[in-house]
Amino acid sequence: METPTNTLINAPKLADRAYNIRRNALRMGKVQGQGYIAQALDISDVLAVAYFHAMRYRPEDPSWDRRDRFLLSNGHYAIALYAALIEAGIVPEEELETYGSDESRLPMSGMASYTPGMEMSGGSLGLGLSIAVGMSLGLKCKRSEARVYTLFSDGELDEGSVWEAIQWAGHYKLDNLIGIVDVNNQQADGPSTQVMTFEPLVEKLKAFGWFVQRVDGNDLDAVVAAFDTAKSHPEPKPRMIVADTLMGKGVPFLEQREKSHFIRVEQHEWQLALAALEAGRQA
Ligand SMILES: Cc1ncc(C[n+]2csc(CCOP(=O)(O)OP(=O)(O)O)c2C)c(N)n1
Ligand SMILES: [Mg+2]
């Protein structure tokens, strides 16, 4: 087994990676004065573990044939993935200043043709898992050892296509597929459990033939253990990590702000948010 090319001796600790991802996202939000920042902050720990612990890839060659794939299904989380791609050295840090502007490679919704390391175009929700299923099967047919990771959101569980993909992956025993669902209990019309409950989620996924773990998605140790177990689990089943997260994580005044799909951050608050993140790191 080849040593993952992203495992560096003396690599900054995962907590530092997660901090840098949050800071990159806030800096991009500050550029535009908007962005799905509460979601970016909630998913940064998962992205830190995916990109700096679990996945195999070559930052200098994002199309490397044997790379693990990371598919962002919920394209509005692109600001979070860009923050991770910058930290991973796949996107140059200076491009952060172009976020969301015309001609930028970092549009506000993720586009595969624009951004290195972006494996699919998002925007229309509920499609990532289906694409991931096809990719996983294709890689198996090619006898590739690469894995497919896909992140999607709890609001996407309202979509029939997601459940079709879940059923399909279970039937075809896609053990090279690792899904991560961000359960932040929020979607456009309100708290997910009120709009359309998906519970008991773990039991449902198990019934569809998946190996399922549910973790606190903002507990780095728990997330590391979940990814490790998902990779090493011996049963021939697709694997799902249900990650319960807190919107705004790491910036206390955003953690406490009334939750909504699009949290409003006033112009003067972006710098305050960066300062609050920094203060939390030192505490
Ligand atoms: C197929 C489709 N339907 C509706 C939308 C509009 N939309 C954009 S984001 C969103 C919320 C989806 O839920 P989730 O991602 O859990 O929301 P968040 O956690 O970001 O608040 C919706 C309905 C869309 N992009 N695609
Ligand atoms: Mg949500």
Side-chain angles (χ1 to χ4, degrees):
M1 185 80 173
E2 185 175 322
T3 307
T5 47
N6 55 320
T7 301
L8 306 173
I9 296 169
N10 297 325
K13 292 196 299 284
L14 283 174
D16 293 336
R17 297 295 196 181
Y19 170 85
N20 291 342
I21 293 170
R22 288 190 167 92
R23 190 184 54 183
N24 288 344
L26 282 169
R27 287 175 64 196
M28 280 182 274
K30 187 165 180 264
V31 166
Q32 275 295 330
Q34 59 173 314
Y36 287 99
I37 197 64
Q39 291 86 333
L41 293 169
D42 82 39
I43 207 62
S44 291
D45 298 307
V46 166
L47 291 172
V49 174
Y51 276 86
F52 299 101
H53 179 75
M55 280 174 26
R56 185 167 59 167
Y57 60 95
R58 291 179 171 167
E60 71 288 358
D61 182 10
S63 304
W64 180 45
D65 194 45
R66 292 164 60 196
R67 73 193 181 282
D68 291 332
R69 277 69 168 167
F70 188 93
L71 273 65
L72 181 71
S73 180
N74 40 343
H76 64 288
Y77 276 47
I79 188 171
L81 186 54
Y82 300 153
L85 293 173
I86 290 167
E87 178 64 9
I90 296 172
V91 173
E93 187 181 348
E94 53 272 20
E95 286 193 39
L96 177 157
E97 299 294 336
T98 72
Y99 171 69
S101 61
D102 292 348
E103 317 298 332
S104 174
R105 298 201 298 176
L106 308 181
M108 291 184 78
S109 189
M111 300 286 285
S113 56
Y114 283 36
T115 317
M118 185 68 74
E119 302 274 1
M120 67 166 275
S121 298
S124 188
L125 295 169
L127 300 179
L129 201 54
S130 296
I131 298 170
V133 159
M135 236 179 228
S136 304
L137 188 65
L139 288 167
K140 267 184 173 293
C141 290
K142 292 198 320 194
R143 304 201 183 288
S144 168
E145 288 187 1
R147 291 187 172 86
V148 178
Y149 294 81
T150 184
L151 173 66
F152 63 106
S153 56
D154 52 358
E156 293 188 85
L157 291 165
D158 298 355
E159 300 269 3
S161 56
V162 172
W163 291 98
E164 187 178 346
I166 288 169
Q167 178 159 289
W168 217 93
H171 177 83
Y172 285 97
K173 303 185 185 339
L174 298 179
D175 54 5
N176 57 343
L177 173 60
I178 300 179
I180 308 120
V181 53
D182 179 11
V183 177
N184 61 6
N185 194 25
Q186 188 66 47
Q187 54 184 281
D189 292 336
S192 301
T193 41
Q194 289 177 24
V195 175
M196 187 180 291
T197 190
F198 43 75
E199 302 291 3
L201 185 55
V202 170
E203 287 78 357
K204 285 180 183 172
L205 293 165
K206 283 183 178 170
F208 276 76
W210 286 62
F211 171 67
V212 190
Q213 304 172 80
R214 188 162 192 160
V215 294
D216 176 347
N218 296 124
D219 177 338
L220 275 173
D221 290 337
V223 177
V224 165
F227 272 81
D228 286 350
T229 304
K231 286 170 70 170
S232 62
H233 185 73
E235 286 182 290
K237 293 179 172 183
R239 295 103 209 281
M240 188 73 79
I241 298 172
V242 178
D244 290 297
T245 63
L246 177 65
M247 294 182 88
K249 179 71 182 177
V251 177
F253 74 83
L254 293 179
E255 288 177 12
Q256 285 147 24
R257 186 154 292 181
E258 190 185 348
K259 298 294 179 286
S260 73
H261 172 61
F262 198 79
I263 284 189
R264 189 176 168 83
V265 179
E266 303 297 339
Q267 200 53 46
H268 71 280
E269 289 182 316
W270 291 101
Q271 193 55 47
L272 293 176
L274 280 159
L277 182 72
E278 166 83 38
R281 183 193 207 186
Q282 289 168 351

